[in-house]
Amino acid sequence: MKDNKLNKLALKAGIFYIVGQLFIRGLTFLTTPVYTRLLTRAQYGEIRVYESWLLIMVPVMSLCLFRSVDRAKYDMGEKYNGYVSCVQTLSYFSIFGFFGICMLFRPQVQKLWGMTDVMFFMAFLYVFGYTSILFMQRREKQMMRYKASIFITTVTIVPATVLSIFLIYWGRVHGYLDKLVELRIWGFYVPQVIGGLIVAVLLWKQGGKFIQREYWKYALKYSLPLIPEMLSIQIMNQADKIMIQFLEGYDYTGIFALGTTISFIIWIVEDSVWNAFLPWMYEKISQGETADIENPWMILMHGFGILSWYLVVLAPEIVAVLGSKEYRMAVLLIAPMVTGTLLRFYSYIYTAIQNYYKKTAYVAVGTIFTMVINVILNYVCIIRFGYMAAAYTTAASYFILLVLQGYLEKKITGRRVVSLKKSVIISAVYLALNLATMELFVLQWYIRYGIILAVTVLAVKWILPQFLKVVKDFKK
C-alpha cells in the first residue's frame, strides 16, 4: 500500500511537473526566432554570454545551499520548512558579501564580465531573486508537489518574455539600436527579480526561521563541497561561449549560441523528466529497493537517445526556422552539441546517488577534473580549429564525466545501482549515430524524411511498449 501510494504520487506530480516545465522552458526555444531577427548576430551573442555569467554566479554566490534542500527532507522531517527558510537567509548573507567584494573592484569586474552598469546591477538582483526560486522549486519537488512551483515560474517567465520582446521592438522602432541588449535585460529580468523576492518573503513566512546555527552547519557541510562541482558544470556548459567571445568575437558567439539553443530543446525535456524522476529514485533508495531503478532509467536513456537523433537529422530545418541565413553554419554544430547534452543527462544518475549518500566532495573532484580538461581542450582547439571545435570538445568532456562519475559511484558507495558498462555502450552508440547522421545533410530532403519515417516506426515498436510498461509498473 505504501509503494502504491508513493508511485501514484510520483506519477501525478511528475507528469504535471514535466508538462509545466516543457511549457515554461519551451518559451526560450519558441522565442529564439524572434530574438535572432530583432537583434544582430553580435547582440544575440552578447545576450547569451550575459546569461552564461549569470548561470555561473548563482551557484557560487549562493554557496550552492539550495542543493541541500533535496537531502534535508529525509533528515529534518517536520522541521523541513524551517530549515529551508533559515538556509535561504544564509544564502542571502553570502550574496551580499560577494556583492560588496565586487563593488570594491567594480571597474575590473565589469571589464572582465563585459557588462555595463545596468547589466552589472541587474545581475546581482537576479542572483537574489533566482536563488529564492531555486529554494522553493527544490522544496516543492521533494514534497512531490507541483502547483506552487509551476505557478510562480509561469507568472515570472511569461511576463518577462513578453516584456523583453516588446522593449526590443520598441527600441528598434524608436532608433535605440545600440540599447537593444540593455532593453532586453530590463524586460526579461525585472519580472523575475520581483517574483523571486516575493518567494523569499513567502519562504520566510512559511518556515518562521531566519537564523539557526544547527541548520546552517548542516547546509554548509552538505553544500560547500558541491560549489566546485556546480561551478565546474556551469563552466563546462558556459565556458565555450565565453571563450569564443574572447578568442573569436561576439559574431561567432551568436552562431554558437544558436546551436546551444537547439541542444536546449533536449535539455528542457531531460531536466524536466529528471526532476520528476529524482524524488522517486531517492524514495526507492531510502526503502532499500534499488533494484527497481535500472530498468526505467535504461528506457529513459534510449528514449532521449532517439530524441537526440531526431534533432540532429532535422538540424537544417530547425536552424532555418530559429535563425536567418546568417546562422546557417550552426547546422554543423548540432550533432556534437546535442550529444554532449545527452551524455550529461546520462551522468546525472551517478552523481545523484553519490549526493544521496552525502559523498558530495567526491562528486566535486570528478567534475572539477573534467572541467579542467574541457577548458584546456576548448582553448587549444578553438585557437587551432576555430569556434566549432568547442562543440566537439564539450561532448568529449561529458563522456569523460559519465565514465568518471560512474566509476566513483561504485568505489565510494560500494554499490552499483545502474550498470556503467551498459551506460558506456549506449553512450557510444548514440554518439556514433548522431555524428554519422550529419552525412545525410547532403542527400535530398525526401530521402532524409524516408529514413526518419522508418526510424519512427522502429522506435514506436521498440520503445513505446517498454515505456508503457514502466508507467504500468508505477501505477501497480
Side-chain angles (χ1 to χ4, degrees):
M1 288 296 293
K2 185 178 180 181
D3 283 345
N4 190 37
K5 183 179 180 180
L6 168 64
N7 289 338
K8 285 182 177 179
L9 180 60
L11 183 64
K12 180 180 178 181
I15 289 174
F16 276 97
Y17 189 89
I18 291 169
V19 172
Q21 291 298 302
L22 286 177
F23 168 71
I24 294 163
R25 296 181 179 185
L27 287 176
T28 301
F29 169 68
L30 294 175
T31 55
T32 297
V34 180
Y35 288 131
T36 55
R37 286 162 174 82
L38 290 177
L39 301 167
T40 66
R41 200 163 68 185
Q43 287 173 328
Y44 180 67
E46 186 176 358
I47 286 173
R48 296 303 300 276
V49 169
Y50 181 70
E51 292 172 353
S52 296
W53 282 116
L54 294 183
L55 290 170
I56 292 172
M57 291 169 66
V58 169
V60 175
M61 295 183 179
S62 67
L63 298 183
C64 220
L65 295 172
F66 54 85
R67 288 282 297 271
S68 68
V69 173
D70 293 346
R71 189 62 179 83
K73 176 197 171 187
Y74 303 97
D75 293 329
M76 298 301 167
E78 295 180 355
K79 302 176 181 178
Y80 191 44
N81 283 348
Y83 172 84
V84 173
S85 67
C86 179
V87 175
Q88 177 186 241
T89 305
L90 182 57
S91 274
Y92 268 38
F93 284 151
S94 173
I95 297 168
F96 271 117
F98 275 101
F99 177 68
I101 294 171
C102 289
M103 283 297 293
L104 292 176
F105 304 97
R106 187 175 139 201
Q108 295 87 345
V109 171
Q110 287 188 219
K111 183 178 180 181
L112 174 64
W113 293 350
M115 295 184 186
T116 63
D117 290 345
V118 169
M119 297 166 76
F120 176 81
F121 288 107
M122 188 62 71
F124 277 95
L125 288 172
Y126 175 77
V127 172
F128 278 109
Y130 189 60
T131 296
S132 294
I133 291 177
L134 287 174
F135 271 102
M136 183 272 296
Q137 287 179 334
R138 286 180 175 268
R139 185 192 69 177
E140 296 301 291
K141 179 184 70 176
Q142 289 306 120
M143 298 302 293
M144 296 190 187
R145 300 188 298 234
Y146 55 89
K147 292 180 180 178
S149 179
I150 291 176
F151 174 77
I152 191 62
T153 310
T154 301
V155 299
T156 54
I157 293 296
V158 173
T161 303
V162 174
L163 182 59
S164 64
I165 292 174
F166 169 78
L167 288 178
I168 292 173
Y169 179 77
W170 178 87
R172 286 178 60 89
V173 170
H174 289 85
Y176 297 104
L177 299 181
D178 59 335
K179 297 292 184 181
L180 296 184
V181 172
E182 289 191 355
L183 287 172
R184 196 268 183 181
I185 288 170
W186 277 108
F188 192 70
Y189 291 109
V190 167
Q192 296 186 68
V193 170
I194 294 172
L197 296 179
I198 292 173
V199 168
V201 174
L202 290 175
L203 290 179
W204 278 321
K205 183 177 180 181
Q206 292 169 356
K209 290 187 180 295
F210 292 89
I211 298 174
Q212 186 152 329
R213 184 178 178 183
E214 175 191 354
Y215 293 163
W216 285 11
K217 184 178 179 180
Y218 176 97
L220 289 170
K221 184 178 180 180
Y222 183 92
S223 296
L224 285 182
L226 288 175
I227 294 177
E229 183 232 349
M230 284 287 290
L231 180 59
S232 300
I233 285 291
Q234 290 302 337
I235 290 176
M236 286 179 65
N237 292 343
Q238 313 302 332
D240 41 21
K241 292 189 285 292
I242 294 173
M243 293 176 75
I244 290 171
Q245 176 240 316
F246 279 111
L247 297 173
E248 302 278 338
Y250 279 119
D251 216 32
Y252 289 115
T253 307
I255 298 175
F256 195 89
L258 184 71
T260 305
T261 299
I262 295 173
S263 68
F264 190 65
I265 300 171
I266 190 172
W267 180 82
I268 291 170
V269 188
E270 286 172 350
D271 197 55
S272 300
V273 170
W274 174 250
N275 280 297
F277 184 86
L278 182 63
W280 175 83
M281 184 181 77
Y282 276 4
E283 290 287 351
K284 284 294 182 182
I285 296 175
S286 70
Q287 295 174 18
E289 300 173 354
T290 56
D292 295 342
I293 296 172
E294 183 175 87
N295 186 55
W297 180 250
M298 288 293 170
I299 293 173
L300 289 178
M301 290 181 72
H302 284 297
F304 282 111
I306 293 172
L307 176 59
S308 73
W309 180 83
Y310 276 112
L311 292 178
V312 174
V313 76
L314 291 171
E317 288 79 6
I318 297 174
V319 170
V321 171
L322 293 184
S324 59
K325 293 180 180 180
E326 296 180 348
Y327 294 88
R328 62 181 178 274
M329 292 300 293
V331 171
L332 302 179
L333 298 169
I334 306 308
M337 282 186 166
V338 166
T339 306
T341 304
L342 179 71
L343 298 178
R344 178 179 64 176
F345 173 69
Y346 288 173
S347 71
Y348 283 177
I349 194 80
Y350 300 111
T351 56
I353 292 167
Q354 293 175 66
N355 287 337
Y356 179 86
Y357 289 104
K358 301 180 183 178
K359 304 297 183 180
T360 53
Y362 295 94
V363 174
V365 170
T367 310
I368 292 170
F369 175 76
T370 310
M371 179 271 293
V372 172
I373 292 177
N374 177 243
V375 170
I376 294 173
L377 287 175
N378 275 346
Y379 182 78
V380 172
C381 293
I382 290 173
I383 291 178
R384 185 173 178 83
F385 303 107
Y387 72 98
M388 288 191 176
Y392 292 88
T393 57
T394 301
S397 299
Y398 279 125
F399 185 79
I400 294 172
L401 179 65
L402 167 67
V403 174
L404 188 57
Q405 294 295 11
Y407 168 77
L408 289 174
E409 178 223 7
K410 178 66 178 293
K411 186 174 181 62
I412 295 166
T413 66
R415 63 177 61 199
R416 176 74 71 205
V417 175
V418 174
S419 168
L420 179 59
K421 181 180 179 180
K422 291 180 181 178
S423 295
V424 169
I425 292 173
I426 292 172
S427 300
V429 167
Y430 287 111
L431 174 62
L433 178 63
N434 287 344
L435 293 179
T437 300
M438 295 173 65
E439 298 297 325
L440 299 179
F441 295 161
V442 299
L443 302 178
Q444 296 293 335
W445 67 269
Y446 51 82
I447 298 178
R448 273 195 302 123
Y449 277 65
I451 294 173
I452 292 171
L453 180 61
V455 171
T456 302
V457 172
L458 291 174
V460 169
K461 185 178 180 180
W462 177 40
I463 289 291
L464 188 59
Q466 297 184 64
F467 177 77
L468 293 176
K469 184 178 182 302
V470 171
V471 173
K472 183 179 179 181
D473 289 343
F474 265 61
K475 290 180 178 178
K476 182 179 177 182

